[in-house]
Each structure stands twice: as structure tokens, then as C-alpha cells.
Amino acid sequence: MEYPNYYYEQNDRQEQPQNPPRRGIGGYVVTAIVFTIIGALLATILMPSLYDLEGTAQKPAPTLTPGVSPEPVPTPETQKPSESASPADMPKPTSRPMPELDGESPVIGNSTNPIPDIVEQVSAGVLGVINYAYVREFGGTYVEQAAGSAFMISTDGYIVTNAHVVEDADAVAVTFVDGTELDAEIIGMDKSMDVAVLKVEGENLHALKLGDSDAVRVGEFAIAIGDPTGRELAGTTTFGIIGATAREVNIDGRTNTYLQTDAAVNPGNSGGPLLNMAGEVIGITSAKTVTASYDEFGNAISAEGLGFAIPINDAMKIVSQLITRGYVLRPGIGVSIVTWDALSAQKYETVEGMLVYTVTKDGPADEAGLRPNDIIVEVDGAPVPTQDEFVAHVKAKTVGDTLELKVWRAGEYFDTTLTIGDLNNMGSEYVGGEADYNFFG
């Protein structure tokens, strides 16, 4: 699954090629950081095409996009029709108690090289995740459509992974180091931070000790364990250092703070643990950069050693809500935007504002009539803010609140009212394609 954004907070921007080929906005914003989601996609595709989102069963590998200006900043994904809603898309309100986080630290016998001791003792708590789709043909059967990694946080069966690993699943199972596969229940998922909680029933389950991600320092060693490419390479261990402790990264319009590491991560590692040298979980491996820059001809230059993990302290704030309540409300409107400045407005003979880049099907923006290439000029009666201010304005509202917009479309203005929705109930299908510079040409 690919997501078309990179550092929307303007971090680590790469210089734009001087003479890129003329094309739509989508051509500039694809292909850069890959969510390490899929070990197997129907056992054939590891990194599918970015925008193959409609009319197929294909589930592409999530990506971020390089710092290209202007840069689209999506708000929530698309609301799915109720008849096709999957378990991962349906919040389950609950009143469960928070379980005891009873993982134990590994016993380190060799302080010079503790990695073998750590790997041997934590591997029982590192799991594979299989995302199954139900296929009605041939009498109905479940087929594997995606795979990822996960880890146990309590001996009574609670498991943490990435939300994109289990998104759109009709059924989910986890696999253990000995090959055992158990059905798993989706307790809850939060797409904004990309965290999901699963639960299994079993005996002699092994939980990992959670560390303190706030105490992590740049230069510390780190270990990633997971299932790159799926079950074929289950339990793969990689080693590196922490390259940054507070790297703000934008994934599909959602900016979170990540630990950066050069420990190798690949499709299928998503959801697995990033460990310190005490064998404690300090992060959830989630993404990697695959494009560092572009050459003079606009060709991508590969990046090396840029992986990202959600800090465990941040993740556990969400995990606790998913376990005890079943969901985390995240206000959003289902639209992505590009800052449309005076230079762009002059060049394409439009007004300034925020260009609507994509609109998600059945989301608030879709229902309010917004379409790609619309330009938002006012928000709640005030001149259009910056991207960051607009996102903050939406986040400050609650689900059910309204948002008043004044919009320019093809030389005419109109007003519309959106009702704020919950992004966890939104899917991934766009309406009307993507905005295109050529539209104004």
C-alpha cells in the first residue's frame, strides 16, 4: 500500500529536479518512503503501484513521498460503504480493563555482544501477522492478501502491530516462531498513528518487556526483528543504530514523531519490535525511505538505511485506549490539500489558497461536494491558513462539528459546510482522481 506524502512539516526536504517532466501532481509526489507492510500480497506482489486503489483486490504497500513542493497533505481516508466494512474498519466500543504489561527483560550473558541472547529470548514474543480476505468464488474461502509483523505485550494475549497491516482484513491470524498459527481478534486500530491491537487465546504466551523511548539517544544500537517478505523469511533479525530520536514524518497527511534507524527494514517488517540492547521494545517498526533525491533528469536516487519506528511511549498511549475503549476518535474531513501560493496562482491564472488534491469517497468532503482542483480560500470565515494551521484547525474540532469553507472552482466561488468525521471509519478510495496542474493549463 503506498501513501503519497513525505515530511509535511518541511523536514529533510530534498531539492526538486530543475527540469522535471510536465505531468499531474501525482507524478511528483509518488514513490519515496515505503511502509514496510506487505510480506506477501496474494503471494505475488510486494510493492504494488501507488494509485491502483479502485476496482481491484490489490492492497498496495504504503509509502511516504519525498519532500516535493508543493506537497499534498491528506486529511482522513475514505469512508467505506457499510456493506463492505471489514473487522479492522469497525471500532468496537468496550470497557475492558488494561492488562498487566508483564513482559520480562532477557537475561544477558554476554555484555560484549548481547544480540544472540536477546534474539533467542524475545523471539517467542515476536509474531507474524496474516491478513486474510474472504473470496466468495468457488464456494467461499479465505486467502492471504497481506502479511506483517507484531509482538506480544502481555501474557494474556494482547498483541501490538501497525494498523495498515490489518486494514481491510476479513480475518486475521498470527504465527509464532515455531510455526503455530492462531486466529486473532482485532481489538481496535488507530490509523492516525498507525497502531492496532490484536488478541489471541493461548497458553504459555511470551510477552516482551517495554522500554522507555523517551530515554533513547542518537547513536544507541538497535535491533529489528520481523518477517520481511512474509513467512518465507520469518524471524529475520537486523542490527543498526538510532539515527534520530524525534524525526517528524508525514504519512498520508498524518504527521507523527518517529525513531529513525539504519537497521534494515523491508516489506513485512511493519508492526514488529525495534529493541534496545537490553532487549526492551523501544518502537514499532513502521516505514522506510526508498528515495533519497532525484537526479538532473528527474530519476529517483535510492536511499539507504533510513527506517522509522513509532516510539513505544507514544504508541502505548493509543494502545491503552484501544484496549480499554476499542477505538480512538480522530477528527478529519477526507480531503488532501496543497498550498497554492501566489506564484502558482499567477502561473495558472487562479486564486491563492489550498488546492484540493484528492477527495475520499463518501467522506465529509465528498458529501459536501468538494472535488480535485477546487481551491479553498476561506475556512470558518477566515482567510485560508497554512497547511499546518488547517490540519491543526481540523484536529481541534470533534467528530460531529461543522467546518465552513469558501471554495473557488473554475472562476466561480461557492460556500459549503462539512461535518467532521472519524478517520478511523474512513477507507482508501478517491473520488474524481487527483488534482492535475494541466487542469489549469
Side-chain angles (χ1 to χ4, degrees):
M1 183 189 303
E2 299 186 350
Y3 288 94
N5 289 317
Y6 189 48
Y7 297 177
Y8 113 148
E9 297 287 350
Q10 313 301 321
N11 294 339
D12 292 352
R13 282 191 174 277
Q14 303 294 339
E15 186 174 344
Q16 177 76 352
Q18 295 299 312
N19 296 298
R22 180 177 176 85
R23 51 187 174 181
I25 294 174
Y28 291 98
V29 298
V30 300
T31 319
I33 285 188
V34 177
F35 249 124
T36 56
I37 169 180
I38 300 180
L41 180 59
L42 298 178
T44 58
I45 301 175
L46 290 179
M47 296 183 185
S49 172
L50 171 59
Y51 292 114
D52 188 13
L53 296 177
E54 300 184 28
T56 78
Q58 184 163 296
K59 186 176 184 57
T63 57
L64 309 172
T65 309
V68 179
S69 180
E71 178 180 324
V73 176
T75 60
E77 300 169 84
T78 327
Q79 173 70 47
K80 294 189 171 186
S82 58
E83 62 268 22
S84 63
S86 64
D89 296 317
M90 302 293 288
K92 301 178 180 65
T94 184
S95 58
R96 291 184 179 90
M98 186 65 186
E100 181 182 358
L101 304 177
D102 52 359
E104 297 182 357
S105 298
V107 177
I108 307 298
N110 182 352
S111 59
T112 302
N113 181 9
I115 296 175
D117 289 333
I118 291 171
V119 174
E120 286 178 2
Q121 296 176 57
V122 306
S123 291
V126 180
L127 314 173
V129 180
I130 308 300
N131 178 323
Y132 287 106
Y134 182 73
V135 179
R136 289 179 172 80
E137 287 78 9
F138 308 110
T141 186
Y142 286 92
V143 298
E144 181 178 326
Q145 65 175 346
S149 303
F151 58 95
M152 194 85 65
I153 61 170
S154 71
T155 55
D156 53 358
Y158 284 96
I159 297 165
V160 171
T161 187
N162 284 137
H164 70 259
V165 171
V166 295
E167 187 177 8
D168 297 328
D170 292 316
V172 173
V174 296
T175 56
F176 292 78
V177 66
D178 63 0
T180 300
E181 180 173 328
L182 293 179
D183 293 338
E185 175 189 2
I186 298 174
I187 298 300
M189 61 184 293
D190 179 60
K191 294 180 182 178
S192 183
M193 189 169 280
D194 194 24
V195 173
V197 178
L198 313 178
K199 191 175 189 302
V200 295
E201 300 296 332
E203 298 180 353
N204 301 317
L205 300 176
H206 181 81
L208 303 192
K209 178 73 173 179
L210 304 184
D212 181 3
S213 55
D214 292 339
V216 174
R217 301 169 62 194
V218 173
E220 289 186 14
F221 294 136
I223 305 167
I225 305 177
D227 293 2
T229 77
R231 285 185 270 193
E232 292 83 357
L233 300 178
T236 294
T237 299
T238 57
F239 172 73
I241 67 168
I242 298 296
T245 58
R247 186 71 74 198
E248 289 191 341
V249 179
N250 177 275
I251 301 173
D252 199 23
R254 303 173 192 126
T255 300
N256 292 305
T257 301
Y258 292 81
L259 299 174
Q260 180 180 316
T261 181
D262 66 352
V265 292
N266 291 284
N269 274 114
S270 273
L274 186 69
L275 305 161
N276 61 19
M277 288 300 100
E280 301 167 337
V281 179
I282 55 174
I284 306 172
T285 304
S286 300
K288 67 175 291 185
T289 303
V290 296
T291 301
S293 184
Y294 295 88
D295 65 19
E296 58 188 295
F297 304 105
N299 299 314
I301 299 173
S302 296
E304 298 291 342
L306 296 176
F308 299 92
I310 303 167
I312 196 62
N313 291 12
D314 296 344
M316 288 307 298
K317 295 174 184 176
I318 301 303
V319 168
S320 63
Q321 294 181 65
L322 294 177
I323 292 175
T324 59
R325 296 195 310 183
Y327 64 94
V328 179
L329 286 178
R330 297 285 191 176
I333 62 174
V335 63
S336 62
I337 56 172
V338 173
T339 296
W340 202 246
D341 58 18
L343 183 62
S344 298
Q346 180 180 10
K347 180 176 181 179
Y348 294 99
E349 299 182 352
T350 67
V351 297
E352 295 181 50
M354 289 187 298
L355 178 71
V356 176
Y357 169 65
T358 60
V359 177
T360 51
K361 184 179 179 182
D362 298 329
D366 179 21
E367 294 178 352
L370 266 66
R371 290 295 178 264
N373 287 112
D374 287 347
I375 298 176
I376 301 170
V377 297
E378 289 184 7
V379 179
D380 283 339
V384 68
T386 65
Q387 291 177 343
D388 293 357
E389 291 169 342
F390 181 73
V391 172
H393 187 75
V394 173
K395 286 183 176 180
K397 293 179 176 287
T398 60
V399 175
D401 287 349
T402 58
L403 187 71
E404 305 289 336
L405 300 179
K406 184 175 183 179
V407 181
W408 181 92
R409 178 185 291 170
E412 298 183 357
Y413 293 91
F414 67 92
D415 296 319
T416 188
T417 301
L418 288 74
T419 301
I420 303 296
D422 178 12
L423 70 83
N424 285 301
N425 289 336
M426 299 183 188
S428 56
E429 184 179 352
Y430 296 146
V431 174
E434 305 158 5
D436 188 344
Y437 293 135
N438 298 329
F439 178 84
F440 300 116

